[in-house]
Amino acid sequence: MKTKLPTPPITIFTPSFADEDNTNAQNLTVKEIVARLCPEQFRVVMISEGKPDPRIAARRNTKLLPYYKHGNTAQLLMRSLAFRPDIYFFPRFGPLDQAVFGLRKRLGLRTALVTYIVMAMNGATANGLVARSALEGDAVLANSGYVAETVWQQFGIRAGTIYDGIDRRFFFPGNEPGSAKARVARTVLYAGSFQPRKRVEVMIQQAARWPDVIFRLAGRGVTEPSCRALVAQLGCKNVVFLGHLTSAQLGDEMRRADVFFFPSILEGHPQVLGQAAACGLPAIAMNVYQPEYVLHEKTGFLAESDTELAQKLDLLLCDSATRQSMSWAAAQHSQTFNWDRIAEQWTEVFRQVAAERLNS
């Protein structure tokens, strides 16, 4: 039988926010992809709570559904289904996703499911709607080779790998990558949420060891009060809490810093490591989730223990030549993660899934 090809435009609904100031990693990913999808080939429906990203607002064949304080699940479900989406892209783990999954099963809804797994799967993370989105997905992709391997281990599903790119509007080197940064005090930067798995406390403990170095913490979250209490307990005068930063502000912070320190022990493929690399900032992170944004001993260090985290920080703070060489190498390596090429990969996934849906 001859394969039928989908008639453009293919309609994609994603429960993702188009807001310009939304820096959630998953929403950043979707915004970058949507901004590059050909409007003649793809109609996109997504959510907006405030001022949308100007690229999304200007994109033809894009519908932004308003987000209200109450009753969003029912309203978003009815409005999104009115567009008869061919694809439900990047399900999350809320009531809207639960409702869509239920309708697909009970009503035989022919909307295809394209799942993107962005967290390493283990006994704690591979449950509920995460498991359902993997098991029911018409296409399952992961944001790193390591995450794809954990999907196979937990679900027996061979997930493809599509990396997240780097937004070059905000994340780029300052001076010539690898050049010395003129400043009085060396600076170590952390950026991410404050939650137990991120272990921001480890950063503060390093600040106590290096009183002449400035440690700057970007982000907010549930462990922020305990982190502030630890700073007071240790008498650290060199720790600065920056709060939530826009992408532009974070890029500026990265260009001013000397080392990016990221002690988290449970991730997928954290975009912040790629952003640091694009700014020519050497990074120190844990190797447990095998981040490919960092090339060990070339653009930074991937540590196996907290002791090694501290040792590598000491090395970078004391050795300006190593910092400079890693800065140049990081900026070069970041070119691998190009959003234009990545969007082309997603375009092919969407076309294939839509064609399979039409021929099923």
Side-chain angles (χ1 to χ4, degrees), residues 290-303:
Q290 301 174 25
E292 295 171 61
Y293 289 127
V294 181
L295 298 178
H296 182 57
E297 296 185 337
K298 293 182 179 179
T299 70
F301 295 105
L302 297 175

Side-chain angles (χ1 to χ4, degrees), residues 177-189:
S179 62
K181 299 181 181 181
R183 62 170 59 84
V184 176
R186 291 158 295 174
T187 302
V188 179
L189 177 68

Side-chain angles (χ1 to χ4, degrees), residues 5-43:
L5 298 177
T7 302
I10 296 167
T11 299
I12 299 172
F13 173 58
T14 175
S16 306
F17 285 87
D19 298 41
E20 182 177 25
D21 62 356
N22 190 310
T23 59
N24 169 271
Q26 287 80 12
N27 289 318
L28 288 177
T29 292
V30 175
K31 287 187 288 185
E32 293 300 321
I33 296 169
V34 170
R36 291 167 171 81
L37 290 178
C38 175
E40 284 72 35
Q41 296 181 27
F42 296 97
R43 176 191 295 119

Side-chain angles (χ1 to χ4, degrees), residues 121-258:
M121 295 289 96
N122 58 31
T125 59
N127 53 43
L129 287 181
V130 178
R132 189 169 182 179
S133 68
L135 294 170
E136 297 185 12
D138 295 275
V140 180
L141 289 303
N143 66 346
S144 77
Y146 175 73
V147 172
E149 181 59 29
T150 67
V151 172
W152 167 251
Q153 292 171 357
Q154 290 293 322
F155 305 119
I157 294 171
R158 290 294 186 190
T161 299
I162 300 183
Y163 299 101
D164 286 315
I166 299 164
D167 191 338
R168 303 289 169 176
R169 296 175 301 165
F170 309 116
F171 302 103
F172 53 85
N175 301 321
E176 184 68 20
S179 62
K181 299 181 181 181
R183 62 170 59 84
V184 176
R186 291 158 295 174
T187 302
V188 179
L189 177 68
Y190 165 84
S193 58
F194 283 63
Q195 51 181 306
R197 67 183 173 88
K198 300 286 189 177
R199 303 196 310 151
V200 184
E201 297 83 0
V202 176
M203 175 86 159
I204 296 168
Q205 292 163 359
Q206 299 309 308
R209 297 176 57 242
W210 286 92
D212 296 329
V213 175
I214 305 301
F215 286 73
R216 295 172 70 80
L217 312 178
R220 294 197 181 281
V222 295
T223 64
E224 184 177 348
S226 62
C227 287
R228 289 182 178 274
L230 181 60
V231 167
Q233 176 186 335
L234 297 177
C236 297
K237 304 296 184 183
N238 57 335
V239 175
V240 180
F241 289 84
L242 300 171
H244 173 76
L245 300 182
T246 65
S247 293
Q249 291 169 331
L250 179 57
D252 288 341
E253 286 289 338
M254 287 178 167
R255 284 183 286 276
R256 287 194 289 263
D258 295 284

Side-chain angles (χ1 to χ4, degrees), residues 52-112:
D53 183 308
R55 300 170 302 168
I56 307 298
R59 183 185 182 276
R60 302 188 311 280
N61 224 355
T62 306
K63 177 64 177 179
L64 301 181
L65 303 181
Y67 189 82
Y68 302 105
K69 290 184 178 180
H70 305 288
N72 280 294
T73 298
Q75 293 184 60
L76 290 174
L77 184 64
M78 289 187 295
R79 291 177 180 177
S80 63
L81 292 182
F83 289 92
R84 302 191 179 205
D86 301 294
I87 294 171
Y88 189 67
F89 173 48
F90 207 160
R92 307 305 172 83
F93 315 115
L96 177 60
D97 306 280
Q98 184 79 51
V100 171
F101 289 164
L103 285 176
R104 288 180 82 239
K105 185 174 182 179
R106 289 195 298 272
L107 303 181
L109 198 65
R110 297 191 66 204
T111 298

